[in-house]
Short mmCIF file of all heavy atoms in Angstrom, two decimals:
data_model
loop_
_atom_site.label_atom_id
_atom_site.label_comp_id
_atom_site.label_asym_id
_atom_site.label_seq_id
_atom_site.Cartn_x
_atom_site.Cartn_y
_atom_site.Cartn_z
N GLY A 53 3.03 15.30 -13.09
CA GLY A 53 1.91 15.80 -13.89
C GLY A 53 1.47 17.16 -13.55
O GLY A 53 1.18 18.01 -14.40
N ALA A 56 3.89 19.74 -14.98
CA ALA A 56 3.64 19.95 -16.45
C ALA A 56 2.40 20.78 -16.67
O ALA A 56 2.43 21.65 -17.52
CB ALA A 56 3.61 18.61 -17.08
N ILE A 57 1.38 20.52 -15.87
CA ILE A 57 0.15 21.28 -16.05
C ILE A 57 0.39 22.69 -15.66
O ILE A 57 -0.10 23.62 -16.35
CB ILE A 57 -1.00 20.76 -15.21
CG1 ILE A 57 -1.40 19.31 -15.75
CG2 ILE A 57 -2.16 21.62 -15.06
CD1 ILE A 57 -2.34 18.53 -14.88
N LEU A 60 1.96 24.56 -18.42
CA LEU A 60 1.10 24.86 -19.57
C LEU A 60 0.21 26.12 -19.25
O LEU A 60 -0.36 26.66 -20.16
CB LEU A 60 0.32 23.71 -19.90
CG LEU A 60 1.07 22.56 -20.60
CD1 LEU A 60 0.18 21.25 -20.76
CD2 LEU A 60 1.42 22.97 -22.03
N TRP A 64 -2.29 28.73 -21.77
CA TRP A 64 -3.76 28.75 -21.77
C TRP A 64 -4.24 30.12 -21.37
O TRP A 64 -5.29 30.65 -21.85
CB TRP A 64 -4.31 27.67 -20.88
CG TRP A 64 -4.23 26.34 -21.54
CD1 TRP A 64 -3.36 25.34 -21.17
CD2 TRP A 64 -4.90 25.88 -22.69
NE1 TRP A 64 -3.48 24.25 -22.02
CE2 TRP A 64 -4.42 24.55 -22.93
CE3 TRP A 64 -5.81 26.44 -23.51
CZ2 TRP A 64 -4.90 23.77 -24.07
CZ3 TRP A 64 -6.33 25.63 -24.56
CH2 TRP A 64 -5.78 24.33 -24.84
N VAL A 79 -10.40 22.96 -20.56
CA VAL A 79 -9.14 22.30 -20.91
C VAL A 79 -9.11 20.89 -20.46
O VAL A 79 -9.38 20.59 -19.31
CB VAL A 79 -7.88 23.05 -20.47
CG1 VAL A 79 -6.60 22.41 -20.81
CG2 VAL A 79 -7.87 24.43 -20.98
N ASN A 80 -8.72 19.92 -21.35
CA ASN A 80 -8.62 18.51 -21.01
C ASN A 80 -7.06 18.21 -20.85
O ASN A 80 -6.28 18.69 -21.83
CB ASN A 80 -9.12 17.54 -22.06
CG ASN A 80 -10.61 17.81 -22.24
OD1 ASN A 80 -11.32 17.62 -21.39
ND2 ASN A 80 -10.93 18.18 -23.48
N TYR A 81 -6.62 17.62 -19.83
CA TYR A 81 -5.21 17.29 -19.62
C TYR A 81 -5.06 15.72 -19.77
O TYR A 81 -5.62 15.01 -19.10
CB TYR A 81 -4.64 17.70 -18.28
CG TYR A 81 -4.66 19.21 -18.18
CD1 TYR A 81 -5.76 19.91 -17.67
CD2 TYR A 81 -3.52 19.94 -18.62
CE1 TYR A 81 -5.74 21.33 -17.60
CE2 TYR A 81 -3.56 21.32 -18.55
CZ TYR A 81 -4.63 22.01 -17.99
OH TYR A 81 -4.59 23.42 -17.97
N ARG A 82 -4.12 15.34 -20.67
CA ARG A 82 -3.86 13.98 -20.76
C ARG A 82 -2.39 13.76 -20.42
O ARG A 82 -1.49 14.39 -20.92
CB ARG A 82 -3.91 13.51 -22.30
CG ARG A 82 -5.39 13.77 -22.73
CD ARG A 82 -5.49 13.95 -24.22
NE ARG A 82 -6.63 14.54 -24.66
CZ ARG A 82 -7.91 14.06 -24.63
NH1 ARG A 82 -8.08 12.96 -24.08
NH2 ARG A 82 -8.92 14.70 -25.03
N SER A 83 -2.19 12.77 -19.37
CA SER A 83 -0.82 12.70 -18.82
C SER A 83 -0.41 11.23 -18.89
O SER A 83 -1.18 10.36 -18.94
CB SER A 83 -0.74 13.18 -17.38
OG SER A 83 -1.60 12.46 -16.58
N LEU A 84 0.93 11.02 -18.98
CA LEU A 84 1.54 9.77 -18.95
C LEU A 84 2.28 9.46 -17.62
O LEU A 84 2.53 10.44 -16.80
CB LEU A 84 2.60 9.71 -20.10
CG LEU A 84 2.04 9.97 -21.45
CD1 LEU A 84 3.27 10.01 -22.45
CD2 LEU A 84 1.04 8.93 -21.86
N GLY A 87 5.12 11.65 -16.60
CA GLY A 87 4.91 13.01 -16.21
C GLY A 87 4.59 13.93 -17.43
O GLY A 87 4.26 15.17 -17.17
N GLU A 88 4.74 13.49 -18.59
CA GLU A 88 4.44 14.29 -19.80
C GLU A 88 2.96 14.53 -19.86
O GLU A 88 2.13 13.67 -19.51
CB GLU A 88 4.93 13.62 -21.06
CG GLU A 88 6.41 13.47 -21.31
CD GLU A 88 6.65 12.73 -22.53
OE1 GLU A 88 6.77 11.51 -22.49
OE2 GLU A 88 6.82 13.43 -23.57
N VAL A 89 2.62 15.74 -20.28
CA VAL A 89 1.26 16.19 -20.33
C VAL A 89 1.05 16.83 -21.71
O VAL A 89 1.75 17.60 -22.26
CB VAL A 89 0.85 17.15 -19.21
CG1 VAL A 89 -0.56 17.71 -19.36
CG2 VAL A 89 1.05 16.52 -17.92
N LEU A 90 -0.23 16.50 -22.30
CA LEU A 90 -0.67 17.19 -23.43
C LEU A 90 -2.11 17.69 -23.14
O LEU A 90 -2.88 16.97 -22.54
CB LEU A 90 -0.83 16.21 -24.67
CG LEU A 90 -1.15 16.82 -26.05
CD1 LEU A 90 0.03 17.61 -26.57
CD2 LEU A 90 -1.64 15.76 -27.02
N SER A 91 -2.45 18.95 -23.46
CA SER A 91 -3.70 19.49 -23.12
C SER A 91 -4.45 19.91 -24.41
O SER A 91 -3.77 20.30 -25.41
CB SER A 91 -3.50 20.63 -22.15
OG SER A 91 -2.65 21.60 -22.65
N ASP A 92 -5.74 19.88 -24.39
CA ASP A 92 -6.54 20.27 -25.48
C ASP A 92 -7.83 20.89 -25.05
O ASP A 92 -8.30 20.63 -23.93
CB ASP A 92 -6.77 19.09 -26.45
CG ASP A 92 -7.57 18.06 -25.77
OD1 ASP A 92 -7.01 17.09 -25.09
OD2 ASP A 92 -8.85 18.02 -25.91
N ALA A 93 -8.40 21.69 -25.93
CA ALA A 93 -9.77 22.30 -25.73
C ALA A 93 -10.25 22.69 -26.98
O ALA A 93 -9.52 22.94 -27.94
CB ALA A 93 -9.62 23.53 -24.74
N LEU A 100 -9.74 23.68 -32.68
CA LEU A 100 -9.04 22.77 -31.74
C LEU A 100 -7.76 23.40 -31.26
O LEU A 100 -6.93 23.76 -32.01
CB LEU A 100 -8.72 21.36 -32.34
CG LEU A 100 -8.03 20.39 -31.48
CD1 LEU A 100 -8.90 20.06 -30.21
CD2 LEU A 100 -7.71 19.13 -32.18
N LEU A 101 -7.68 23.61 -29.98
CA LEU A 101 -6.48 24.17 -29.33
C LEU A 101 -5.72 23.07 -28.66
O LEU A 101 -6.37 22.32 -27.86
CB LEU A 101 -6.87 25.30 -28.34
CG LEU A 101 -7.78 26.42 -28.86
CD1 LEU A 101 -8.14 27.27 -27.69
CD2 LEU A 101 -7.03 27.23 -29.89
N VAL A 102 -4.40 23.04 -28.77
CA VAL A 102 -3.54 22.08 -28.15
C VAL A 102 -2.52 22.81 -27.47
O VAL A 102 -1.72 23.63 -28.07
CB VAL A 102 -3.08 21.00 -29.10
CG1 VAL A 102 -2.17 19.96 -28.38
CG2 VAL A 102 -4.25 20.26 -29.82
N ASP A 103 -2.31 22.47 -26.18
CA ASP A 103 -1.31 23.22 -25.38
C ASP A 103 -1.34 24.74 -25.60
O ASP A 103 -0.39 25.42 -25.59
CB ASP A 103 0.10 22.71 -25.61
CG ASP A 103 0.39 21.35 -25.04
OD1 ASP A 103 -0.49 20.83 -24.27
OD2 ASP A 103 1.46 20.86 -25.17
N GLY A 104 -2.60 25.26 -25.67
CA GLY A 104 -2.82 26.68 -25.63
C GLY A 104 -2.74 27.37 -27.00
O GLY A 104 -2.92 28.55 -27.16
N LEU A 107 -4.35 24.24 -33.34
CA LEU A 107 -3.63 23.18 -34.05
C LEU A 107 -3.43 23.36 -35.49
O LEU A 107 -4.42 23.02 -36.24
CB LEU A 107 -4.33 21.81 -33.66
CG LEU A 107 -3.58 20.52 -34.08
CD1 LEU A 107 -2.26 20.41 -33.33
CD2 LEU A 107 -4.38 19.29 -33.94
N TRP A 111 2.18 23.59 -35.84
CA TRP A 111 2.19 23.36 -34.44
C TRP A 111 2.13 21.91 -34.18
O TRP A 111 2.77 21.41 -33.23
CB TRP A 111 1.04 24.10 -33.84
CG TRP A 111 0.84 23.92 -32.38
CD1 TRP A 111 -0.29 23.60 -31.65
CD2 TRP A 111 1.88 24.17 -31.32
NE1 TRP A 111 -0.04 23.58 -30.31
CE2 TRP A 111 1.28 23.89 -30.06
CE3 TRP A 111 3.18 24.48 -31.40
CZ2 TRP A 111 1.88 24.04 -28.86
CZ3 TRP A 111 3.86 24.62 -30.15
CH2 TRP A 111 3.26 24.43 -28.92
N ALA A 112 1.37 21.17 -34.93
CA ALA A 112 1.29 19.70 -34.79
C ALA A 112 2.70 19.06 -34.97
O ALA A 112 3.08 18.20 -34.22
CB ALA A 112 0.32 19.10 -35.73
N GLU A 114 5.57 20.45 -34.55
CA GLU A 114 6.48 20.82 -33.40
C GLU A 114 6.10 20.07 -32.13
O GLU A 114 6.99 19.48 -31.39
CB GLU A 114 6.29 22.32 -33.11
CG GLU A 114 7.23 22.82 -32.02
CD GLU A 114 7.10 24.32 -31.74
OE1 GLU A 114 6.78 25.05 -32.73
OE2 GLU A 114 7.43 24.72 -30.63
N LEU A 115 4.77 19.84 -31.94
CA LEU A 115 4.35 18.94 -30.81
C LEU A 115 4.85 17.55 -30.98
O LEU A 115 5.29 16.83 -29.99
CB LEU A 115 2.85 18.96 -30.65
CG LEU A 115 2.21 20.24 -30.12
CD1 LEU A 115 0.76 20.21 -30.34
CD2 LEU A 115 2.58 20.42 -28.69
N ARG A 116 4.82 17.01 -32.23
CA ARG A 116 5.30 15.61 -32.42
C ARG A 116 6.84 15.53 -32.06
O ARG A 116 7.23 14.46 -31.65
CB ARG A 116 5.04 15.18 -33.91
CG ARG A 116 3.65 14.75 -34.11
CD ARG A 116 3.50 14.12 -35.48
NE ARG A 116 2.15 14.20 -35.98
CZ ARG A 116 1.64 15.16 -36.62
NH1 ARG A 116 2.36 16.15 -36.99
NH2 ARG A 116 0.43 15.20 -36.94
N THR A 118 8.53 17.58 -29.90
CA THR A 118 8.74 17.85 -28.47
C THR A 118 8.04 16.91 -27.53
O THR A 118 8.51 16.73 -26.42
CB THR A 118 8.36 19.30 -28.12
OG1 THR A 118 6.88 19.47 -28.41
CG2 THR A 118 9.18 20.32 -28.85
N LYS A 119 6.96 16.30 -27.99
CA LYS A 119 6.20 15.37 -27.19
C LYS A 119 5.91 14.01 -28.00
O LYS A 119 4.73 13.76 -28.37
CB LYS A 119 4.93 15.99 -26.69
CG LYS A 119 5.14 17.23 -25.87
CD LYS A 119 3.84 17.77 -25.24
CE LYS A 119 4.09 18.91 -24.39
NZ LYS A 119 2.90 19.39 -23.71
N PRO A 120 6.94 13.30 -28.41
CA PRO A 120 6.75 12.22 -29.26
C PRO A 120 5.88 11.13 -28.74
O PRO A 120 5.25 10.35 -29.48
CB PRO A 120 8.21 11.64 -29.47
CG PRO A 120 9.02 12.14 -28.34
CD PRO A 120 8.34 13.47 -27.95
N ALA A 121 5.71 10.99 -27.46
CA ALA A 121 4.90 9.91 -26.82
C ALA A 121 3.41 10.22 -27.20
O ALA A 121 2.54 9.30 -27.23
CB ALA A 121 5.01 9.94 -25.30
N PHE A 122 3.01 11.47 -27.55
CA PHE A 122 1.67 11.84 -27.94
C PHE A 122 1.51 11.94 -29.47
O PHE A 122 0.50 12.40 -29.88
CB PHE A 122 1.26 13.13 -27.26
CG PHE A 122 1.18 13.13 -25.81
CD1 PHE A 122 2.11 13.62 -24.95
CD2 PHE A 122 0.08 12.49 -25.23
CE1 PHE A 122 2.02 13.60 -23.57
CE2 PHE A 122 -0.11 12.43 -23.89
CZ PHE A 122 0.86 12.97 -23.06
N ALA A 123 2.44 11.52 -30.28
CA ALA A 123 2.38 11.66 -31.72
C ALA A 123 1.04 11.06 -32.29
O ALA A 123 0.44 11.67 -33.16
CB ALA A 123 3.59 11.09 -32.33
N THR A 124 0.77 9.92 -31.83
CA THR A 124 -0.49 9.19 -32.40
C THR A 124 -1.79 10.01 -32.01
O THR A 124 -2.64 10.15 -32.90
CB THR A 124 -0.62 7.81 -31.80
OG1 THR A 124 0.60 7.05 -32.19
CG2 THR A 124 -1.75 7.09 -32.38
N LEU A 125 -1.82 10.51 -30.84
CA LEU A 125 -2.93 11.34 -30.45
C LEU A 125 -3.04 12.65 -31.26
O LEU A 125 -4.06 13.15 -31.65
CB LEU A 125 -2.95 11.63 -28.99
CG LEU A 125 -4.11 12.48 -28.37
CD1 LEU A 125 -5.34 11.76 -28.62
CD2 LEU A 125 -3.89 12.69 -26.92
N ILE A 126 -1.81 13.25 -31.49
CA ILE A 126 -1.82 14.46 -32.32
C ILE A 126 -2.32 14.18 -33.71
O ILE A 126 -2.99 14.94 -34.31
CB ILE A 126 -0.45 15.10 -32.24
CG1 ILE A 126 -0.05 15.58 -30.86
CG2 ILE A 126 -0.19 16.23 -33.31
CD1 ILE A 126 1.40 15.77 -30.60
N ASP A 127 -1.87 12.98 -34.28
CA ASP A 127 -2.50 12.55 -35.54
C ASP A 127 -3.97 12.52 -35.53
O ASP A 127 -4.62 13.03 -36.47
CB ASP A 127 -1.89 11.24 -36.02
CG ASP A 127 -0.39 11.23 -36.27
OD1 ASP A 127 0.14 12.26 -36.50
OD2 ASP A 127 0.18 10.08 -36.29
N PHE A 129 -6.05 14.05 -33.54
CA PHE A 129 -6.58 15.46 -33.44
C PHE A 129 -6.52 16.14 -34.72
O PHE A 129 -7.45 16.82 -35.13
CB PHE A 129 -5.67 16.27 -32.44
CG PHE A 129 -5.91 15.98 -30.96
CD1 PHE A 129 -5.02 16.44 -30.07
CD2 PHE A 129 -7.03 15.27 -30.50
CE1 PHE A 129 -5.21 16.22 -28.64
CE2 PHE A 129 -7.28 15.10 -29.19
CZ PHE A 129 -6.26 15.57 -28.30
#
Side-chain angles (χ1 to χ4, degrees):
I57 290 170
L60 287 168
W64 288 109
V79 179
N80 301 302
Y81 293 92
R82 300 156 199 292
S83 63
L84 302 174
E88 290 179 273
V89 174
L90 186 76
S91 56
D92 63 273
L100 179 61
L101 306 173
V102 179
D103 284 359
L107 188 63
W111 180 230
E114 186 176 332
L115 286 169
R116 281 189 201 91
T118 59
K119 299 183 178 190
F122 290 105
T124 303
L125 183 57
I126 294 165
D127 291 344
F129 284 164

